[in-house]
Amino acid sequence: MSYGKFLVKRILQGFVVIWGVVTVTFGLRAVSPGDPVNLIVDPAASPELREQIREDLGLNDPIYVQYVEYLQGLVVGDLGYSYQSSREVSTMVIERVPATLELAIAATVVAVVIAIPLGVISATRRNQPSDYGATLFSLVGISTPNFWLGIMLILVLAVQFGLFPTGQRPVGFADAMHSLITTGYAHDLVTWLRHITLPAIALGTYFTALITRLTRSGMIDELGKPYVTATEAKGLPGVLIRYKHVLRNTMIPIITVLGLQLGTLIGGAVITETVFSWPGLGLRLINAIYALDWPLIQGIIIFIGVGFVVINIFVDSLYAYLNPRVVDE
Amino acid sequence: MAWVPHENSTRRSFLTAVGATSVVAVAGCLGEEGEDTDELVITQGEFVENTDPNDHNATPYYNVFDQVYEPMFEVTEDGEIEERVVTEWSHPDDGVVELELRDDVVFHNGEDLTASDVAYTLRRQVDEDVGFASDQVAGLTTVTGAEAEDDTTVIVEHEGSESLVEFQLASFCRAVNEEWVEDQEQPIDGDMMGTGPYELEEYEPDVQAVFTRFDDYWGDEPAYERVRINAAAESSSRVGAVQTGESDLVVNVPPTDVDDVDTDDGIEIRNVTSNRNIFLVMKNEIEPFDSQEFRQAMNYAVDNQGIIDSILGQFGEPMTQPIPEGLFGYNPDLEPYEQDQSQAEELVEESGYAGEEITLYTMEGRYLNDAEVAQTAADQIDQLENVDCDFETVPFDDVSDAAGEGPDYEEIPFFLLGWGNPTGDADYGLSPWFTSGGGQFNFADEDIEEQLLESQQIDDEDEREEQLQDINEQLREEAPWVFLHLEESIYGVRDDLEWEPRADESLYAEEMG
């Protein structure tokens, strides 16, 4: 199979997955209890008014008609209107993407900065106290629920010690950088940093633990290979061998996991954003679920699904480009 | 130089200073947010979904809108209606109320507020040819139209009694500028333009709204230059925000956090019994709730004061009738049902429904500890020897649907619900529930319905009040609900903030100093 065909096949598979996501979310909406009209009108509104709104929204149409109309809308990028706010769902989704991306990237940075040195130390000092410490950290990190860690961080670092704010995002990264470049003052950037630190730690802890484990096991594998013995025989310093040669080889699978986990991070941000009132897609999704605002719920889930599929296709394509054997497999 | 504690410094301010310094050192620059001492920060759980003041009917939304769009009347803590933008009102003919406006009120774009704008605001809500089907229509049931007579006189047409329309106008009329509104997409989103003490500076949907003082406001200048209203749905985030000094006032502090907040330096708990009541609906066309004895038995089975003490941390007041104290039509002579299990069992026997199995349905997270309240009530009913009571949590919409389905809806005939009473008049608490045209009609009783509809037409205030009080007394006897409690509004507040919580849950920044 040529690389072009491989790419087309992957993209077509991606469309099938997205269609599946759309259909499942639509199905959930169809079977979910509750009447959306309750969201739109006051509980005391008359039955006539309720019926008129139901008719206007097309809720009296058969379910397949609603489904086809929804798909037709999607094709032209129309995700409908929020029941609660009457705003365009596509706008409501897109305006929240930067906050979630910032959080996902910050969590990745936290993970990489902490996990890689920890993994290297753990692998090169096997069965020593530092290895046990790193392993314990990984175990605790992977087992700790996001929301609990978030609340603990707020209680200890924000409330008890007053080191960080409890949440919110008064300024975005882009605006903070713009302010730094145009005025020369870093006030907004500091504000952004202070506000994102705790949510990034809460979201990144699981990831940190995961990467620590990956780095450790990858390093242990690599350290046992003949080229390490050869470089050692050449008399290269140990630090250089570990960080220049061995770590570089270990990083290849880690970078792949980082790419693939970005989608998971965006999904995991739902809880973190709620705990820290971080105004991203996750917080909006939770609010939409509380309100049973189905057009918005569907829009966000579809957007996250599309993001996940696109990242996967990109990583697969990159892999296939770098390693043509993948295409034939 | 060593850090020297100031005599007014607290542990928190010291730690904040240390924390700020360390972060600044990391970032390599100076600066800290939230230094503007002339800014008031309020944090609440829910937030407006768009910026149209006529589109929604929920207190947290009004708390955002009311900084920009001022109510036409002042409603006092005691439910009295006083002048504000409307200086005088009279009833020259049956079905007509004439409003006289101040002549010095201007919108934030500099244009004068005219009678035409006020009339347009009302028509926008009640006339679908002018505006849209608004939630607030439910509060303006008797208003049928409005016209401007001259620049400052509005003629409102209505179908109800005089006092009822006054309460409705006082609660649901925040004037918009007709020309400006017509230039916007409907409903309005992203901008606000009213006549209130603050104008909108920044708005981020369900995140925050920032307001600055409006210099040409006709009334007293508010104490704060800026007001920021933040959204934090998570209660621990809200409590954290007031504990760290990020917020000056937060709403809905959970009873379990009250002690922590109250003992913290510089902040305190302030609370008030609100106009929102919590009760268990029993549909009277469904067995066994078609028996008055059985319904009364349910009231005797439940220890509502005990629930307040144990589940709500003593925050709440037992209900004595379907409406809260302070509303026009409240009957002060009525007492709450006291728990009496043996009387409850006797009444069940009398009802002929001994051995009945029932289920109490509730939502979770809508009202203060709602699921725990319902579970305790269900347990107490279950303790009766001749009734089995189960308990089930369902989505709020299931309960809301059940409430709108009528008294013969069998699927969920027994459920917990809360009802806010923003108009200050008993009619808003009774008509939706006990008249067949009301959206929450669950209890069919022709006599009560007739008396309620009649009360809407009585012009004499004393006579109408007496009639409403009489209806409340009958309803206590009829026991359409298990009367539980009036919900408590619990706020975490910076202790030097001059402000007292209101029973109607309103937050006017202009009243804070």
Side-chain angles (χ1 to χ4, degrees), chain A residues 38 40 43 87 96 195 275, chain B residues 33 135 189 206 237 401 440:
Chain A
N38 286 332
I40 297 163
R87 299 177 67 217
R96 287 303 183 87
H195 281 262
V275 172
Chain B
E33 61 168 315
D135 285 9
D189 187 36
D206 59 5
S237 306
D401 285 353
Q440 312 292 302

Side-chain angles (χ1 to χ4, degrees), chain B residues 90-262:
Chain B
S90 58
H91 300 271
D93 287 310
D94 279 353
V96 175
V97 54
E98 190 175 303
L99 309 177
E100 193 61 38
L101 307 179
R102 296 183 67 94
D103 59 6
D104 56 351
V105 181
V106 289
F107 283 103
H108 299 156
N109 64 358
E111 289 179 12
D112 289 335
L113 169 78
T114 65
S116 171
D117 291 313
V118 175
Y120 170 78
T121 303
L122 287 170
R123 288 202 309 273
R124 184 171 185 245
Q125 296 177 72
V126 301
D127 184 348
E128 282 177 37
D129 294 336
V130 177
F132 45 76
S134 159
D135 285 9
Q136 291 174 25
V137 176
L140 289 169
T141 46
T142 65
V143 174
T144 53
E147 292 295 334
E149 191 172 74
D150 54 44
D151 275 358
T152 57
T153 313
V154 188
I155 304 293
V156 181
E157 292 160 13
H158 64 99
E159 289 175 338
S161 71
E162 292 174 358
S163 65
L164 179 56
V165 74
E166 285 170 10
F167 278 117
Q168 295 189 337
L169 290 172
S171 302
F172 299 106
C173 187
R174 290 160 175 80
V176 293
N177 181 294
E178 177 174 0
E179 202 179 324
W180 184 81
V181 166
E182 290 291 316
D183 284 343
Q184 309 287 314
E185 279 199 20
Q186 306 295 319
I188 303 162
D189 187 36
D191 205 357
M192 301 188 197
M193 220 273 291
T195 62
Y198 289 97
E199 51 188 326
L200 184 69
E201 179 186 312
E202 192 187 331
Y203 167 72
E204 272 187 85
D206 59 5
V207 176
Q208 63 168 356
V210 183
F211 309 95
T212 44
R213 205 154 47 196
F214 174 48
D215 293 334
D216 292 331
Y217 181 57
W218 63 270
D220 294 338
E221 186 180 77
Y224 287 93
E225 171 71 34
R226 291 175 98 226
V227 175
R228 180 188 298 272
I229 300 184
N230 288 327
E234 184 64 29
S235 59
S236 59
S237 306
R238 287 197 303 279
V239 172
V242 75
Q243 286 179 313
T244 55
E246 291 162 51
S247 189
D248 302 301
L249 189 159
V250 299
V251 308
N252 292 345
V253 175
T256 44
D257 288 333
V258 161
D259 287 344
D260 283 348
V261 173
D262 225 11

